[in-house]
């Protein structure tokens, strides 16, 4: 939390705030960081599983946003998507250098345990898209969820997943594809809930 | 396009950004020319973004915002102690070294600003890894993280006089490999680093000039 103005919320859009931050407006910068820091740090910590390293990566993500904010294209993605993608890429790079196997089983276990199917409907009712994605992941067979998350979170190729999981390459590819398509289909269901 | 079937199994990995370089080039060329597959990749890319946004939020340390703002001040105002990312990069170099030779080499970097990273690009296009250089003492590192076939590649440094200096061997195993070497300081500048396969063909290069 930013001391001195804990209750103030900048009413500007994400795009306007980023643009002002990139131009060097320190107030906009602070508000931008405060608006996104929990999401950015969450991705960094989720992937790295290390508080200190996650803080370094999350800081660097904001520095990159500041440095490259002028080239952000609102037509291509939302600011949050762009920023989380930057964070993800930095975290994966840091992880590969730190741990050659490049995975944190804790995140996989957190996001993809077997559970009941009611959660996705609940998430749809509350318009919690992230919750809906997590619920969709829990509806996948565990081996599909694991393959999908190894690819989506740790940038593991099918060949790497094949080796990590001790399965044929074709099976790894199929698990990624089926997992991805099923999550997509479940999210479409959520979008169709009136 | 009539050859959608050839690529449709690759679209999920393409959207997730994990399709290896050789397959990715072909898939991208197809998708650019095929509105149907482009639409599928767009949808799947949104799902990939949704997956990332589903990682639970977490609260950073209390001084996080102040630390970020200290780093985005103009460079002349920055204090060296705040450059933790550069320290991480230095640690990364040491890690590359260890991976490279299996030998425990400790490198003390005196000035993090002398560390530089550029993309290692395949001759057919697409990034396959990175080249890292450190100015003084003079170190060169090459790191491959995807897109090259397993095997041994010769690392060649091209100097400004057009001379190709063989500098070592990088072994790619399971799609990954790294090499690092300290070279004697000299007046000649290195303008490029290349990886050369067993046939003598250059497979990837990084421009260092």
């Amino acid at each position: 939390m930013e001391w001195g103005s804990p209750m103030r919320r900048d009413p500007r859009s994400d795009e306007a705030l980023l643009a002002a931050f990139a131009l060097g407006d320190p107030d906009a910068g602070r508000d931008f960081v405060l608006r996104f820091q929990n999401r950015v740090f969450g991705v960094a910590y989720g992937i790295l599983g290390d508080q200190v390293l996650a803080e370094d990566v999350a800081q660097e993500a904001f520095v990159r946003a500041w440095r490259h904010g002028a080239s952000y294209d609102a037509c291509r993605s939302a600011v949050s998507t762009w920023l989380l993608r930057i964070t993800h890429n930095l975290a994966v790079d840091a992880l590969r250098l730190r741990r050659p196997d490049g995975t944190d089983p804790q995140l996989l276990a957190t996001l993809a345990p077997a559970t009941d199917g009611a959660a996705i409907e609940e998430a749809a009712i509350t318009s919690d898209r992230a919750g809906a994605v997590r619920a969709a992941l829990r509806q996948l067979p565990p081996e599909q969820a694991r393959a999908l998350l190894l690819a989506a979170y740790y940038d593991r190729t099918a060949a790497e997943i094949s080796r990590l999981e001790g399965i044929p390459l074709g099976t790894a590819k199929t698990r990624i594809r089926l997992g991805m398509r099923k999550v997509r289909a479940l999210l479409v269901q959520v979008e169709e809930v009136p | 396009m009539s050859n959608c079937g050839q690529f449709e199994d690759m679209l999920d990995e393409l959207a997730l950004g994990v399709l290896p370089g050789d397959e990715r080039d072909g898939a991208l060329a197809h998708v650019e020319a095929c509105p149907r597959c482009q639409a599928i990749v767009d949808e799947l890319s949104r799902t990939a973004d949704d997956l990332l946004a589903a990682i639970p939020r977490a609260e950073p340390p209390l001084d996080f915002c102040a630390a970020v703002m200290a780093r985005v001040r103009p460079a002349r105002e920055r204090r060296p102690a705040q450059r933790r990312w550069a320290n991480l990069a230095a640690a990364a170099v040491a890690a590359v070294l260890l991976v490279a030779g299996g030998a425990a080499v400790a490198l003390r970097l005196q000035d993090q600003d002398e560390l530089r990273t550029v993309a290692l690009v395949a001759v057919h296009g697409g990034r396959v890894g990175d080249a890292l250089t450190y100015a003084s003492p003079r170190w060169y590192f090459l790191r491959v993280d995807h897109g090259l076939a397993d095997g041994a590649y010769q690392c060649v440094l091209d100097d400004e006089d057009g001379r190709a200096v063989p500098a070592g061997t990088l072994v790619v195993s399971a799609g990954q490999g790294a090499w690092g070497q300290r070279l004697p300081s000299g007046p000649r500048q290195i303008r490029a680093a290349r990886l050369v396969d067993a046939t003598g063909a250059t497979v990837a290069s990084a421009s260092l000039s």
Side-chain angles (χ1 to χ4, degrees):
Chain A
M1 184 178 290
E2 177 66 4
W3 308 118
S5 56
M7 300 304 291
R8 190 170 64 87
R9 281 282 181 88
D10 193 305
R12 282 180 279 187
S13 68
D14 294 346
E15 293 78 11
L17 212 50
L18 172 62
F21 181 31
L23 286 171
D25 176 345
D27 290 335
R30 274 186 286 275
D31 286 335
F32 183 82
V33 174
L34 291 172
R35 187 176 291 186
F36 291 106
Q37 65 178 10
N38 287 7
R39 273 178 275 183
V40 166
F41 186 74
V43 166
Y45 182 70
I47 290 171
L48 292 161
D50 178 304
Q51 184 89 10
V52 174
L53 196 53
E55 193 186 346
D56 279 329
V57 163
Q59 279 188 26
E60 180 64 16
F62 282 109
V63 172
R64 300 269 173 112
W66 166 68
R67 192 172 291 146
H68 302 295
S71 60
Y72 161 75
D73 180 357
C75 296
R76 292 175 66 88
S77 64
V79 169
S80 60
T81 303
W82 177 76
L83 186 58
L84 293 188
R85 193 53 69 188
I86 291 173
T87 310
H88 169 256
N89 292 341
L90 290 168
V92 168
D93 282 349
L95 190 64
R96 281 184 188 275
L97 288 163
R98 190 179 164 93
R99 285 208 300 267
D101 74 330
T103 58
D104 174 20
Q106 198 180 345
L107 179 62
L108 299 179
T110 304
L111 289 178
T115 188
D116 63 89
I120 194 160
E121 289 161 22
E122 196 178 306
I125 292 164
T126 59
S127 303
D128 172 13
R129 191 167 181 84
V133 175
R134 288 195 285 269
L137 284 170
R138 293 183 193 120
Q139 290 195 29
L140 298 183
E143 66 277 6
Q144 270 180 29
R146 190 174 161 79
L148 177 57
L149 295 187
L150 282 169
Y153 293 161
Y154 299 102
D155 268 5
R156 290 288 157 188
T157 63
E160 289 170 323
I161 293 168
S162 156
R163 277 188 298 276
L164 283 168
E165 302 287 274
I167 54 176
L169 175 61
T171 305
K173 284 178 168 288
T174 301
R175 286 181 184 175
I176 294 170
R177 190 174 70 253
L178 292 179
M180 192 73 167
R181 300 292 167 116
K182 188 162 183 185
V183 169
R184 177 74 208 134
L186 289 166
L187 290 177
V188 169
Q189 280 180 27
V190 171
E191 287 162 4
E192 287 171 353
V193 170
Chain B
M1 292 286 283
S2 58
N3 56 344
C4 292
Q6 184 188 337
F7 295 101
E8 75 184 339
D9 285 353
M10 301 180 189
L11 299 182
D12 301 83
E13 291 166 74
L14 183 66
L16 287 164
V18 296
L19 196 61
D22 47 346
E23 292 178 280
R24 187 181 60 226
D25 294 345
L28 276 175
H30 169 75
V31 166
E32 280 174 16
C34 175
R36 177 181 163 275
C37 287
Q38 179 70 66
I40 294 172
V41 169
D42 288 347
E43 280 294 306
L44 293 170
S45 296
R46 275 192 283 279
T47 304
D49 291 336
D50 281 331
L51 285 168
L52 210 51
I55 296 178
R57 298 177 185 204
E59 203 161 323
L62 283 176
D63 62 351
F64 180 81
C65 184
V68 172
M69 294 312 295
R71 289 186 56 187
V72 301
R73 274 190 254 146
R76 64 182 178 279
E77 294 178 19
R78 264 182 257 155
R79 295 197 302 271
Q82 291 166 333
R83 294 182 298 186
R84 287 174 61 187
W85 175 256
N87 291 335
L88 178 65
V93 169
V96 168
L97 268 179
L98 290 171
V99 172
V105 180
L107 175 61
R108 182 181 289 273
L109 301 180
Q110 301 297 332
D111 186 348
Q112 315 297 354
D113 286 341
E114 294 192 27
L115 185 67
R116 184 173 161 233
T117 305
V118 296
L120 183 63
V121 179
V123 288
H124 302 300
R127 177 192 164 280
V128 295
D130 299 300
L132 295 90
T133 65
Y134 188 73
S136 180
R138 197 148 66 146
W139 282 87
Y140 292 90
F141 307 94
L142 294 177
R143 180 183 60 176
V144 171
D145 52 33
H146 71 278
L148 289 188
D150 286 4
Y153 297 86
Q154 192 171 40
C155 306
V156 175
L157 301 175
D158 294 331
D159 73 16
E160 59 187 351
D161 298 325
R163 260 178 296 209
V165 182
T169 303
L170 182 150
V171 176
V172 175
S173 171
Q176 298 188 340
W179 163 87
Q181 182 75 53
R182 179 178 176 174
L183 297 184
S185 295
R188 282 197 301 276
Q189 294 297 310
I190 300 298
R191 61 176 177 79
R194 291 184 287 126
L195 288 180
V196 175
D197 70 12
T199 69
T202 296
V203 295
S205 64
S207 176
L208 305 174
S209 54

